[in-house]
Amino acid sequence: MSYNTFGHLFRVTTFGESHGPALGCVVDGCPPLIPLEAAEIQAELDRRRPGQSRFTTQRQEPDQVKILSGVFTDERTGKQVTTGTPIALLIENVDQRSKDYSEIKNSYRPGHADFTYDVKYGIRDYRGGGRSSARETAARVAAGAIARKVLPGVTIRGALVQMGPHAIERGNWDWNEVARNPFFCPDAKAAAFYEEYLDGLRKDGSSIGAVIEVVAEGVPAGLGAPIYGKLDSDLAAALMSINAVKGVEIGDGFAAAALRGEENADEMRPGNQGAPTFLSNHAGGILGGISTGQPVVCRFAVKPTSSILTPRSSVTRSGAEAEVMTKGRHDPCVGIRAVPVGEAMVACVLADHFLRHRGQVGESAAWPFKA
Amino acid sequence: MSYNTFGHLFRVTTFGESHGPALGCVVDGCPPLIPLEAAEIQAELDRRRPGQSRFTTQRQEPDQVKILSGVFTDERTGKQVTTGTPIALLIENVDQRSKDYSEIKNSYRPGHADFTYDVKYGIRDYRGGGRSSARETAARVAAGAIARKVLPGVTIRGALVQMGPHAIERGNWDWNEVARNPFFCPDAKAAAFYEEYLDGLRKDGSSIGAVIEVVAEGVPAGLGAPIYGKLDSDLAAALMSINAVKGVEIGDGFAAAALRGEENADEMRPGNQGAPTFLSNHAGGILGGISTGQPVVCRFAVKPTSSILTPRSSVTRSGAEAEVMTKGRHDPCVGIRAVPVGEAMVACVLADHFLRHRGQVGESAAWPFKA
Amino acid sequence: MSYNTFGHLFRVTTFGESHGPALGCVVDGCPPLIPLEAAEIQAELDRRRPGQSRFTTQRQEPDQVKILSGVFTDERTGKQVTTGTPIALLIENVDQRSKDYSEIKNSYRPGHADFTYDVKYGIRDYRGGGRSSARETAARVAAGAIARKVLPGVTIRGALVQMGPHAIERGNWDWNEVARNPFFCPDAKAAAFYEEYLDGLRKDGSSIGAVIEVVAEGVPAGLGAPIYGKLDSDLAAALMSINAVKGVEIGDGFAAAALRGEENADEMRPGNQGAPTFLSNHAGGILGGISTGQPVVCRFAVKPTSSILTPRSSVTRSGAEAEVMTKGRHDPCVGIRAVPVGEAMVACVLADHFLRHRGQVGESAAWPFKA
Amino acid sequence: MSYNTFGHLFRVTTFGESHGPALGCVVDGCPPLIPLEAAEIQAELDRRRPGQSRFTTQRQEPDQVKILSGVFTDERTGKQVTTGTPIALLIENVDQRSKDYSEIKNSYRPGHADFTYDVKYGIRDYRGGGRSSARETAARVAAGAIARKVLPGVTIRGALVQMGPHAIERGNWDWNEVARNPFFCPDAKAAAFYEEYLDGLRKDGSSIGAVIEVVAEGVPAGLGAPIYGKLDSDLAAALMSINAVKGVEIGDGFAAAALRGEENADEMRPGNQGAPTFLSNHAGGILGGISTGQPVVCRFAVKPTSSILTPRSSVTRSGAEAEVMTKGRHDPCVGIRAVPVGEAMVACVLADHFLRHRGQVGESAAWPFKA
């Protein structure tokens, strides 16, 4: 079962509400003897942290992570390492602004989970969206930082490739650019445009959607398994579970529907150590649910932030008419901070599949490819 | 764990290779006392069955299903009903044409899972693609027929809405049309076009991709659960696990990335029994991972059939150069027969979530919505 | 998968080491709208808390529990209730006595998990046994307190029924007596004997085993499921997972091996509402893995505490000879404090099966029996 | 979830009723390239097959197993091997004697699952006990035959060590004797006694319980995991899930309750390759839920067959009084044929834990112990 847990051999269970005392996660199944410091997790959290530019919410949350369990000093090296037991991470909420929740308490904000939580459970923690808040993704990013360490030689990077209807220019792609602008955008020219564009939307009290791409390089061939343990199937679930995501693609994605067989097939040539070299990567690094050794490429679409200043029609809990407009601190484009979250989810899925593969098939075949 | 099983309370485990003696599935967790005849399952299988038009593979497989367990006669009604114990379904393979597999045996067909199975397991049943063949989806359709019966009042229908770059005209949508053409296409005009279009591709020895849409009506509000048991997350995994699928969308999907917050928010008005009436359905019937009571709408993109007559560059198992062209019986557009498969997966996911919701929350809240 | 998680619909994930900063658990799947205060959990924790008599470890741990998530005020009643989202519980470690661990660090204590953790993971947190310490069971007791609230009308009580070779007199059984002596013993006379007996063992620097019985009354007929979801199978797993447990029995247990069919069969007579009245309960309330409506009765055997003052032969991490004696604070009979832990495990298993049953079969059949 | 599935990385799903068309299982997660012939599975099934002596049921079931999937010829060796895909096994029921079920249909046999299946599901396949029949264990034995092949160097053997109140003489233990008598008894003298003893019980129309011991030798140190993935916890669940089992012990089991700490601790001495040599095995090869490298020893108690000729009081489905006596073909001591079933369950649990360990920790540490 999986309400608040994902993964199988690398399992992450998250907990916490937006305005409760704390949020966090338990990472179970992490292999032992992996060096791990809180600072490494903190570095990833800092990338997702709110309040770092005028384009994200102004809520001030330091998102300081504490490791509560699962690590110990390895006396041979003096380093803190994982022990194989569950790693619990805790992030205390600090800036739970005491405000008037009377509007959100009794009315359902369109596009939000207010109505569905209420209809399902008969109650909800309405403060800041409670459990449905994207604040939960801080726990994912923390878990993802551990997942990365399980995957030596794998590089997982994400980028915002479209804001509103405006896609980046693929030819301008520069990974170094991603850290230089507040949008995680690999196209400097597009980033400059987004700055102006998003300022306009902010002033309108509006919001906008986005598309994120995550690329994992160095993934060995052989991860994933038929039929309901496919790597792409698990990636789709993981990315679709991120707040506000409405679509997921692997490789060419929906564009593949328009291709002919000759165009879509990734041809091969003899390569190193008997492994084939692929001449293209329409498949996004996955065939039959199993990694090919090429970069794993996935994209996901994020809808515009539902919290906007424009009043929208809605209903109250008791079924009366209402108008809702959401004041307060919100990201005008939640897609931006979804970039490190997407990376974290991909890292967790790959770590899980790496361990599952090693379990079923053993090490010899798994890492790296051997002819 | 989930290699060949999906679902939690409604669990489906499939087995079988394309050219082995049989394939089938075990459906575990089906509630008791549901009337179930093999003929009902057969009706769904017949919709997916190959060889029904010139636009699908000419392999002649009757796909006759046998129920091996889990049903018994209810003496009160004289009807065969489920007993709550696992329902095993068996479909024997009949038309395993004895042919020369020497080419496929030693070379990797581009776009197929030949290479990845081999690199993962060190062996593969190459006959017809073995376990990676879309023939496995017959078992899914059989399971889906049972899932539908778990969901009274829910109607799940699929349609092909794009072939190659050619999308249907939404205004022409007629569900009755779907059964009248060999493409499961709801737009009569588009269907006529596809006939000619696909004939041309067939003559070229080529193939083409497609987009499928599945709509579930009558789904009660409240199915799905935060955070890793979201309904959309499970739908994404289920649809992405279908052979050749490269993208999944819920509601507006990728188009939502281009919307502003005001455009995307589905406004509400007071409706019946205290439940809100939504004025639009950009969300595709799911908010915060939980169903809203609106129709659940999802789409998936299917890549073109990888088996084509045009020779493609590849490598052999021993790492030498090779050219591969796939003769034999193949669907020029695998997207067509993916329509009943998509419906089946949606049915299984909804049945699972219905039982999970009933478990956690109980019946009162679940079915139907009560204020 | 289940390394540090148990249960399916009522899922408990625990974390934490004996001498780390904190331990705790995440309870996922708890139904919503159940009144829950930290004080209720605390009351159960206080029963297991160390240092309450001279017969348990003198480590002073207040075991104060904090609820970090999953509860909210129900405005209709003003009470704090569960919300259906994960409930995280935190217990900080307070009395981590800074001591010299040099002996335990490099040598394997016989009967402990020192060697096995090291051989498995290549590292272990040796302070107080780390993750293998019975301190982890505090988290189970906390989770069990929540599980009890999921089960209205069910009473779950445990008792120590044997210490060393000395079994209680069944005829003296008085549930009220359990809270009156430091052994959770329902036989006042036996309790008096145990006091003297255990004092003698303590003075010897020795320890002793015990047998615990847990009885759940009010369990409705119908919980549990064939074949690998049997109620007794899950109880066996849950009880065997408690530290130091070496045997589990349901109903007559091993004594059933000596019975003839006529003696063992629990005869039935017509009872209320069409439900049968059983004339005996050799089965311990479970037939075919499913509850009968009679009290569920189980027992488990706890080995003597492995930490003793008598020196034992062992080896060091580097494979040299060593003698180990364990000074410090230890329970001379770990079986005593295993009583509330056993109750908690039974409560968690029953809560899980109640939700699973309700999911598959629905409410009508489940609670209570209806003809 | 686990209704009819057990295991995680080595997963077994069984299906089928006693008098349905067939029973069988799907084994998912078996590593690839393991030589596997139906004859190997058949050999194990033949040990459990009914009708082989006058001390088991006279039902004539050849229990011929067919492999439906998951194997293929390895061209390098010409041998049939596993492919890593699910292995489906089918056993058709042959001797479903058409008889009058009117008594069993409407009345609940004491000690059987008749009542509990009915109260849970509202219907049951009453023919021969349906799904609750021990006939289901044929599928377990078949799966166990595959599990054994996953565990090179491990020997798993079972023996009947007690029938009724009569335990064997431990000093007489001879593994070779087990195959020489119809009781799987390692003590020739006891076997001779049991023959006479059981003949007497048969003539009385009675039945008797038994205790079975299973020993796994060659199990490497390191299998199992804290806290809810303990090897002993999973063994307890697996053995308790066998029909008619009421108790499970690991190592000294309940006898450990009577021991003092000095007696129970298994002392160690330096051994080969840095691994310790244990001087005793009270622990049954498991400490802290993880294997020590010593033989894994477990026992389980089987209650007497509930089907007896002596009339017992019961009730009908409609709640009226009834007397039930079970004519027909039954094992007077179901414990006998439980021996190969117990072995199979132990094999499946060990295979699962071997793969899980290899997944989390990798091969270097797992097999065999390395200092």
Side-chain angles (χ1 to χ4, degrees), chain B residues 1 3, chain D residues 5-12 27-31 34 87 142-150 344 347-353 355-356:
Chain B
M1 282 295 304
Y3 287 146
Chain D
T5 296
F6 68 95
H8 297 272
L9 285 191
F10 187 88
R11 287 175 75 79
V12 179
V27 177
D28 195 9
C30 183
I34 296 177
I87 304 168
I146 298 174
R148 287 174 194 267
K149 304 213 64 173
V150 174
C348 288
V349 169
L350 288 172
D352 188 35
H353 274 280
L355 301 183
R356 290 165 73 177

mmCIF file of all heavy atoms in Angstrom, chain B residues 1 3, chain D residues 5-12 27-31 34 87 142-150 344 347-353 355-356:
data_model
loop_
_atom_site.group_PDB
_atom_site.id
_atom_site.type_symbol
_atom_site.label_atom_id
_atom_site.label_comp_id
_atom_site.label_asym_id
_atom_site.label_seq_id
_atom_site.Cartn_x
_atom_site.Cartn_y
_atom_site.Cartn_z
ATOM 1 N N MET B 1 6.171 -4.783 -3.507
ATOM 2 C CA MET B 1 6.920 -4.909 -4.765
ATOM 3 C C MET B 1 5.980 -5.152 -5.932
ATOM 4 O O MET B 1 4.919 -5.706 -5.774
ATOM 5 C CB MET B 1 7.872 -6.094 -4.680
ATOM 6 C CG MET B 1 9.114 -5.797 -3.886
ATOM 7 S SD MET B 1 10.118 -4.529 -4.680
ATOM 8 C CE MET B 1 10.368 -5.259 -6.269
ATOM 9 N N TYR B 3 6.615 -6.352 -9.728
ATOM 10 C CA TYR B 3 7.175 -6.640 -11.034
ATOM 11 C C TYR B 3 6.027 -6.932 -12.004
ATOM 12 O O TYR B 3 5.890 -6.299 -13.020
ATOM 13 C CB TYR B 3 8.119 -7.852 -10.978
ATOM 14 C CG TYR B 3 9.435 -7.591 -10.297
ATOM 15 C CD1 TYR B 3 10.063 -8.584 -9.547
ATOM 16 C CD2 TYR B 3 10.072 -6.369 -10.403
ATOM 17 C CE1 TYR B 3 11.275 -8.360 -8.934
ATOM 18 C CE2 TYR B 3 11.285 -6.138 -9.786
ATOM 19 C CZ TYR B 3 11.886 -7.134 -9.057
ATOM 20 O OH TYR B 3 13.094 -6.914 -8.439
ATOM 21 N N THR D 5 -0.750 -13.669 -1.806
ATOM 22 C CA THR D 5 0.639 -13.522 -2.239
ATOM 23 C C THR D 5 1.535 -13.478 -1.014
ATOM 24 O O THR D 5 1.166 -12.888 -0.017
ATOM 25 C CB THR D 5 0.800 -12.189 -3.017
ATOM 26 O OG1 THR D 5 0.022 -12.244 -4.206
ATOM 27 C CG2 THR D 5 2.259 -11.933 -3.388
ATOM 28 N N PHE D 6 2.692 -14.122 -1.084
ATOM 29 C CA PHE D 6 3.675 -13.875 -0.037
ATOM 30 C C PHE D 6 5.049 -13.650 -0.644
ATOM 31 O O PHE D 6 5.328 -14.071 -1.761
ATOM 32 C CB PHE D 6 3.693 -14.969 1.037
ATOM 33 C CG PHE D 6 4.182 -16.307 0.576
ATOM 34 C CD1 PHE D 6 5.501 -16.687 0.738
ATOM 35 C CD2 PHE D 6 3.310 -17.199 -0.005
ATOM 36 C CE1 PHE D 6 5.954 -17.934 0.325
ATOM 37 C CE2 PHE D 6 3.747 -18.450 -0.425
ATOM 38 C CZ PHE D 6 5.077 -18.821 -0.258
ATOM 39 N N GLY D 7 5.882 -12.960 0.127
ATOM 40 C CA GLY D 7 7.210 -12.627 -0.359
ATOM 41 C C GLY D 7 7.230 -11.239 -0.983
ATOM 42 O O GLY D 7 6.185 -10.657 -1.268
ATOM 43 N N HIS D 8 8.432 -10.741 -1.184
ATOM 44 C CA HIS D 8 8.598 -9.391 -1.694
ATOM 45 C C HIS D 8 9.395 -9.420 -2.990
ATOM 46 O O HIS D 8 8.874 -9.134 -4.044
ATOM 47 C CB HIS D 8 9.263 -8.522 -0.635
ATOM 48 C CG HIS D 8 8.432 -8.391 0.591
ATOM 49 N ND1 HIS D 8 7.485 -7.427 0.747
ATOM 50 C CD2 HIS D 8 8.360 -9.142 1.709
ATOM 51 C CE1 HIS D 8 6.875 -7.567 1.911
ATOM 52 N NE2 HIS D 8 7.405 -8.597 2.515
ATOM 53 N N LEU D 9 10.659 -9.792 -2.918
ATOM 54 C CA LEU D 9 11.423 -9.907 -4.166
ATOM 55 C C LEU D 9 11.235 -11.289 -4.786
ATOM 56 O O LEU D 9 11.293 -11.433 -6.000
ATOM 57 C CB LEU D 9 12.910 -9.629 -3.922
ATOM 58 C CG LEU D 9 13.282 -8.165 -3.714
ATOM 59 C CD1 LEU D 9 14.792 -8.000 -3.749
ATOM 60 C CD2 LEU D 9 12.642 -7.254 -4.737
ATOM 61 N N PHE D 10 11.034 -12.292 -3.977
ATOM 62 C CA PHE D 10 10.632 -13.620 -4.469
ATOM 63 C C PHE D 10 9.179 -13.770 -4.049
ATOM 64 O O PHE D 10 8.885 -14.023 -2.884
ATOM 65 C CB PHE D 10 11.511 -14.711 -3.851
ATOM 66 C CG PHE D 10 11.267 -16.085 -4.425
ATOM 67 C CD1 PHE D 10 11.953 -16.506 -5.552
ATOM 68 C CD2 PHE D 10 10.346 -16.951 -3.852
ATOM 69 C CE1 PHE D 10 11.737 -17.779 -6.092
ATOM 70 C CE2 PHE D 10 10.119 -18.214 -4.379
ATOM 71 C CZ PHE D 10 10.823 -18.625 -5.505
ATOM 72 N N ARG D 11 8.285 -13.537 -4.975
ATOM 73 C CA ARG D 11 6.859 -13.435 -4.660
ATOM 74 C C ARG D 11 6.079 -14.616 -5.203
ATOM 75 O O ARG D 11 6.210 -14.965 -6.371
ATOM 76 C CB ARG D 11 6.255 -12.206 -5.325
ATOM 77 C CG ARG D 11 6.648 -10.903 -4.712
ATOM 78 C CD ARG D 11 6.099 -9.758 -5.521
ATOM 79 N NE ARG D 11 4.672 -9.612 -5.305
ATOM 80 C CZ ARG D 11 4.150 -9.028 -4.244
ATOM 81 N NH1 ARG D 11 4.939 -8.522 -3.327
ATOM 82 N NH2 ARG D 11 2.861 -8.936 -4.083
ATOM 83 N N VAL D 12 5.231 -15.175 -4.385
ATOM 84 C CA VAL D 12 4.413 -16.313 -4.804
ATOM 85 C C VAL D 12 2.945 -15.951 -4.631
ATOM 86 O O VAL D 12 2.530 -15.547 -3.542
ATOM 87 C CB VAL D 12 4.747 -17.558 -3.958
ATOM 88 C CG1 VAL D 12 3.882 -18.730 -4.384
ATOM 89 C CG2 VAL D 12 6.224 -17.898 -4.077
ATOM 90 N N VAL D 27 5.112 -17.432 -9.701
ATOM 91 C CA VAL D 27 6.319 -17.071 -8.965
ATOM 92 C C VAL D 27 6.957 -15.886 -9.688
ATOM 93 O O VAL D 27 7.385 -16.017 -10.836
ATOM 94 C CB VAL D 27 7.304 -18.252 -8.893
ATOM 95 C CG1 VAL D 27 8.594 -17.831 -8.192
ATOM 96 C CG2 VAL D 27 6.660 -19.440 -8.192
ATOM 97 N N ASP D 28 6.984 -14.768 -9.009
ATOM 98 C CA ASP D 28 7.479 -13.540 -9.634
ATOM 99 C C ASP D 28 8.767 -13.106 -8.941
ATOM 100 O O ASP D 28 8.849 -13.120 -7.714
ATOM 101 C CB ASP D 28 6.414 -12.446 -9.509
ATOM 102 C CG ASP D 28 6.677 -11.262 -10.425
ATOM 103 O OD1 ASP D 28 7.577 -11.349 -11.280
ATOM 104 O OD2 ASP D 28 5.968 -10.256 -10.291
ATOM 105 N N GLY D 29 9.749 -12.719 -9.716
ATOM 106 C CA GLY D 29 10.992 -12.210 -9.141
ATOM 107 C C GLY D 29 12.115 -13.220 -9.107
ATOM 108 O O GLY D 29 13.208 -12.910 -8.637
ATOM 109 N N CYS D 30 11.862 -14.419 -9.590
ATOM 110 C CA CYS D 30 12.928 -15.420 -9.632
ATOM 111 C C CYS D 30 14.072 -14.905 -10.511
ATOM 112 O O CYS D 30 13.839 -14.431 -11.610
ATOM 113 C CB CYS D 30 12.383 -16.735 -10.184
ATOM 114 S SG CYS D 30 13.617 -18.055 -10.174
ATOM 115 N N PRO D 31 15.294 -14.974 -10.041
ATOM 116 C CA PRO D 31 16.415 -14.534 -10.870
ATOM 117 C C PRO D 31 16.494 -15.324 -12.188
ATOM 118 O O PRO D 31 15.995 -16.456 -12.266
ATOM 119 C CB PRO D 31 17.640 -14.820 -9.983
ATOM 120 C CG PRO D 31 17.116 -14.813 -8.594
ATOM 121 C CD PRO D 31 15.738 -15.400 -8.711
ATOM 122 N N ILE D 34 18.554 -19.610 -14.078
ATOM 123 C CA ILE D 34 18.590 -20.771 -13.194
ATOM 124 C C ILE D 34 17.977 -21.955 -13.941
ATOM 125 O O ILE D 34 16.839 -21.887 -14.390
ATOM 126 C CB ILE D 34 17.792 -20.488 -11.905
ATOM 127 C CG1 ILE D 34 18.437 -19.347 -11.114
ATOM 128 C CG2 ILE D 34 17.648 -21.738 -11.066
ATOM 129 C CD1 ILE D 34 17.681 -18.957 -9.865
ATOM 130 N N ILE D 87 6.924 -16.990 -13.495
ATOM 131 C CA ILE D 87 6.792 -18.419 -13.763
ATOM 132 C C ILE D 87 5.423 -18.861 -13.263
ATOM 133 O O ILE D 87 5.161 -18.861 -12.062
ATOM 134 C CB ILE D 87 7.897 -19.207 -13.020
ATOM 135 C CG1 ILE D 87 9.279 -18.678 -13.419
ATOM 136 C CG2 ILE D 87 7.778 -20.705 -13.306
ATOM 137 C CD1 ILE D 87 10.411 -19.180 -12.524
ATOM 138 N N ALA D 142 5.242 -26.494 -4.981
ATOM 139 C CA ALA D 142 5.781 -26.230 -6.318
ATOM 140 C C ALA D 142 6.644 -24.974 -6.301
ATOM 141 O O ALA D 142 7.758 -24.951 -6.840
ATOM 142 C CB ALA D 142 4.643 -26.096 -7.322
ATOM 143 N N ALA D 143 6.146 -23.924 -5.657
ATOM 144 C CA ALA D 143 6.919 -22.679 -5.575
ATOM 145 C C ALA D 143 8.203 -22.889 -4.780
ATOM 146 O O ALA D 143 9.263 -22.365 -5.129
ATOM 147 C CB ALA D 143 6.079 -21.585 -4.928
ATOM 148 N N GLY D 144 8.098 -23.697 -3.736
ATOM 149 C CA GLY D 144 9.272 -23.968 -2.909
ATOM 150 C C GLY D 144 10.371 -24.677 -3.684
ATOM 151 O O GLY D 144 11.563 -24.462 -3.429
ATOM 152 N N ALA D 145 9.974 -25.513 -4.634
ATOM 153 C CA ALA D 145 10.977 -26.203 -5.453
ATOM 154 C C ALA D 145 11.808 -25.206 -6.244
ATOM 155 O O ALA D 145 13.013 -25.399 -6.452
ATOM 156 C CB ALA D 145 10.292 -27.191 -6.398
ATOM 157 N N ILE D 146 11.169 -24.123 -6.670
ATOM 158 C CA ILE D 146 11.906 -23.071 -7.383
ATOM 159 C C ILE D 146 12.763 -22.282 -6.403
ATOM 160 O O ILE D 146 13.921 -21.953 -6.684
ATOM 161 C CB ILE D 146 10.927 -22.150 -8.143
ATOM 162 C CG1 ILE D 146 10.150 -22.961 -9.191
ATOM 163 C CG2 ILE D 146 11.668 -21.006 -8.809
ATOM 164 C CD1 ILE D 146 9.055 -22.191 -9.910
ATOM 165 N N ALA D 147 12.192 -21.991 -5.238
ATOM 166 C CA ALA D 147 12.942 -21.227 -4.230
ATOM 167 C C ALA D 147 14.243 -21.916 -3.854
ATOM 168 O O ALA D 147 15.282 -21.277 -3.674
ATOM 169 C CB ALA D 147 12.080 -21.023 -2.979
ATOM 170 N N ARG D 148 14.194 -23.234 -3.742
ATOM 171 C CA ARG D 148 15.415 -23.982 -3.399
ATOM 172 C C ARG D 148 16.527 -23.718 -4.397
ATOM 173 O O ARG D 148 17.714 -23.666 -4.034
ATOM 174 C CB ARG D 148 15.128 -25.493 -3.396
ATOM 175 C CG ARG D 148 14.315 -25.981 -2.212
ATOM 176 C CD ARG D 148 13.977 -27.459 -2.418
ATOM 177 N NE ARG D 148 12.936 -27.940 -1.525
ATOM 178 C CZ ARG D 148 13.154 -28.515 -0.340
ATOM 179 N NH1 ARG D 148 14.378 -28.692 0.086
ATOM 180 N NH2 ARG D 148 12.146 -28.920 0.403
ATOM 181 N N LYS D 149 16.152 -23.574 -5.669
ATOM 182 C CA LYS D 149 17.167 -23.388 -6.700
ATOM 183 C C LYS D 149 17.781 -21.989 -6.666
ATOM 184 O O LYS D 149 18.818 -21.744 -7.279
ATOM 185 C CB LYS D 149 16.560 -23.679 -8.061
ATOM 186 C CG LYS D 149 15.955 -25.098 -8.120
ATOM 187 C CD LYS D 149 16.076 -25.717 -9.460
ATOM 188 C CE LYS D 149 17.513 -25.935 -9.865
ATOM 189 N NZ LYS D 149 17.648 -26.689 -11.106
ATOM 190 N N VAL D 150 17.106 -21.074 -5.983
ATOM 191 C CA VAL D 150 17.639 -19.720 -5.845
ATOM 192 C C VAL D 150 18.724 -19.678 -4.775
ATOM 193 O O VAL D 150 19.497 -18.731 -4.690
ATOM 194 C CB VAL D 150 16.482 -18.752 -5.484
ATOM 195 C CG1 VAL D 150 16.976 -17.352 -5.185
ATOM 196 C CG2 VAL D 150 15.447 -18.711 -6.601
ATOM 197 N N ALA D 344 8.900 -26.064 2.072
ATOM 198 C CA ALA D 344 8.691 -25.135 0.954
ATOM 199 C C ALA D 344 8.555 -23.704 1.450
ATOM 200 O O ALA D 344 9.119 -22.767 0.859
ATOM 201 C CB ALA D 344 7.442 -25.536 0.161
ATOM 202 N N ALA D 347 11.896 -22.403 2.409
ATOM 203 C CA ALA D 347 12.686 -22.128 1.204
ATOM 204 C C ALA D 347 12.267 -20.798 0.584
ATOM 205 O O ALA D 347 13.117 -19.984 0.185
ATOM 206 C CB ALA D 347 12.526 -23.262 0.194
ATOM 207 N N CYS D 348 10.965 -20.556 0.510
ATOM 208 C CA CYS D 348 10.482 -19.313 -0.097
ATOM 209 C C CYS D 348 10.921 -18.097 0.718
ATOM 210 O O CYS D 348 11.346 -17.079 0.163
ATOM 211 C CB CYS D 348 8.961 -19.338 -0.228
ATOM 212 S SG CYS D 348 8.371 -20.469 -1.508
ATOM 213 N N VAL D 349 10.829 -18.192 2.030
ATOM 214 C CA VAL D 349 11.230 -17.069 2.886
ATOM 215 C C VAL D 349 12.723 -16.795 2.737
ATOM 216 O O VAL D 349 13.161 -15.644 2.601
ATOM 217 C CB VAL D 349 10.866 -17.348 4.362
ATOM 218 C CG1 VAL D 349 11.513 -16.314 5.282
ATOM 219 C CG2 VAL D 349 9.353 -17.354 4.548
ATOM 220 N N LEU D 350 13.513 -17.853 2.729
ATOM 221 C CA LEU D 350 14.962 -17.652 2.603
ATOM 222 C C LEU D 350 15.328 -17.074 1.241
ATOM 223 O O LEU D 350 16.197 -16.202 1.140
ATOM 224 C CB LEU D 350 15.696 -18.975 2.845
ATOM 225 C CG LEU D 350 15.707 -19.463 4.294
ATOM 226 C CD1 LEU D 350 16.295 -20.871 4.373
ATOM 227 C CD2 LEU D 350 16.503 -18.515 5.198
ATOM 228 N N ALA D 351 14.676 -17.546 0.189
ATOM 229 C CA ALA D 351 14.961 -17.012 -1.150
ATOM 230 C C ALA D 351 14.624 -15.531 -1.200
ATOM 231 O O ALA D 351 15.387 -14.715 -1.742
ATOM 232 C CB ALA D 351 14.166 -17.779 -2.207
ATOM 233 N N ASP D 352 13.491 -15.181 -0.631
ATOM 234 C CA ASP D 352 13.076 -13.779 -0.607
ATOM 235 C C ASP D 352 14.104 -12.929 0.135
ATOM 236 O O ASP D 352 14.523 -11.867 -0.342
ATOM 237 C CB ASP D 352 11.711 -13.684 0.076
ATOM 238 C CG ASP D 352 11.100 -12.292 -0.026
ATOM 239 O OD1 ASP D 352 11.301 -11.627 -1.059
ATOM 240 O OD2 ASP D 352 10.408 -11.887 0.914
ATOM 241 N N HIS D 353 14.523 -13.403 1.288
ATOM 242 C CA HIS D 353 15.475 -12.619 2.080
ATOM 243 C C HIS D 353 16.851 -12.578 1.435
ATOM 244 O O HIS D 353 17.577 -11.592 1.589
ATOM 245 C CB HIS D 353 15.543 -13.154 3.514
ATOM 246 C CG HIS D 353 14.483 -12.567 4.381
ATOM 247 N ND1 HIS D 353 14.608 -11.324 4.941
ATOM 248 C CD2 HIS D 353 13.255 -13.025 4.725
ATOM 249 C CE1 HIS D 353 13.508 -11.050 5.635
ATOM 250 N NE2 HIS D 353 12.677 -12.062 5.524
ATOM 251 N N LEU D 355 17.384 -12.399 -1.785
ATOM 252 C CA LEU D 355 17.300 -11.370 -2.822
ATOM 253 C C LEU D 355 17.180 -9.973 -2.210
ATOM 254 O O LEU D 355 17.770 -9.006 -2.713
ATOM 255 C CB LEU D 355 16.116 -11.643 -3.750
ATOM 256 C CG LEU D 355 16.133 -12.992 -4.483
ATOM 257 C CD1 LEU D 355 14.941 -13.104 -5.423
ATOM 258 C CD2 LEU D 355 17.424 -13.178 -5.271
ATOM 259 N N ARG D 356 16.436 -9.862 -1.123
ATOM 260 C CA ARG D 356 16.295 -8.557 -0.472
ATOM 261 C C ARG D 356 17.634 -8.078 0.073
ATOM 262 O O ARG D 356 17.990 -6.899 -0.058
ATOM 263 C CB ARG D 356 15.278 -8.654 0.669
ATOM 264 C CG ARG D 356 13.876 -8.832 0.176
ATOM 265 C CD ARG D 356 12.938 -9.290 1.279
ATOM 266 N NE ARG D 356 12.661 -8.207 2.203
ATOM 267 C CZ ARG D 356 11.831 -8.314 3.224
ATOM 268 N NH1 ARG D 356 11.182 -9.455 3.447
ATOM 269 N NH2 ARG D 356 11.599 -7.307 4.009
#
